[in-house]
Amino acid sequence: MVTFEQYLDALRYALNHLYDPNIQRTSPLTGILGLSGGPHAGLVLQQALIEGIESLKVQADAAPHSPLRRTYEILLFRYVQQWSQQEVADQLGISPRHLRREQQAALETLAQRLCERHRVTLAPP
């Protein structure tokens, strides 16, 4: 059983290498999330991560500056669309430093969502 910090580190690493099948195939996140292994483990993990991010998408009529919308946009731009931190910060009208703080919070939100969706039990801190 892994701690939340170990899980978060594995999630961050997998997201930073979202489109690298060799990294995804051997990611400990596959086991943590209880996904099937085998020759397509990398694709299964990649799809689970993208679906997890998409599950955070808010309704079109939600407030433009709602926290959940911001969380979704940060994760979408940074990991799915692979924008640099500077590009995302510029898009959102915030400093790169502020983005780093919000990105950490967004990762934690995604981690919680994935725990719920995949019924992950983590070791107590």
Side-chain angles (χ1 to χ4, degrees):
M1 191 176 290
V2 299
T3 66
F4 185 74
E5 287 304 315
Q6 292 169 322
Y7 167 59
L8 199 57
D9 287 343
L11 176 59
R12 184 179 299 109
Y13 190 75
L15 286 169
N16 282 322
H17 298 91
L18 186 60
Y19 296 108
D20 185 335
N22 293 322
I23 301 260
Q24 295 292 358
R25 185 173 33 257
T26 60
S27 174
L29 198 56
T30 302
I32 294 169
L33 295 178
L35 302 173
S36 64
H40 301 293
L43 292 174
V44 171
L45 178 57
Q46 178 188 59
Q47 189 63 35
L49 294 174
I50 292 171
E51 287 174 2
I53 291 170
E54 286 298 320
S55 76
L56 297 169
K57 189 174 185 175
V58 296
Q59 298 295 327
D61 61 349
H65 298 293
S66 74
L68 194 53
R69 180 184 298 271
R70 179 81 72 128
T71 295
Y72 169 72
E73 289 175 345
I74 288 170
L75 295 170
L76 177 71
F77 296 150
R78 278 292 289 137
Y79 300 114
V80 178
Q81 295 181 1
Q82 298 190 308
W83 291 11
S84 70
Q85 283 188 333
Q86 185 64 55
E87 290 170 320
V88 176
D90 290 346
Q91 174 71 22
L92 299 177
I94 59 177
S95 71
R97 183 176 178 192
H98 187 100
L99 173 66
R100 283 189 291 277
R101 285 192 302 268
E102 287 199 26
Q103 185 174 326
Q104 179 62 28
L107 281 171
E108 291 173 10
T109 299
L110 177 61
Q112 291 294 342
R113 179 65 57 95
L114 290 171
C115 277
E116 293 165 7
R117 291 184 79 161
H118 296 276
R119 296 181 181 92
V120 174
T121 303
L122 300 171

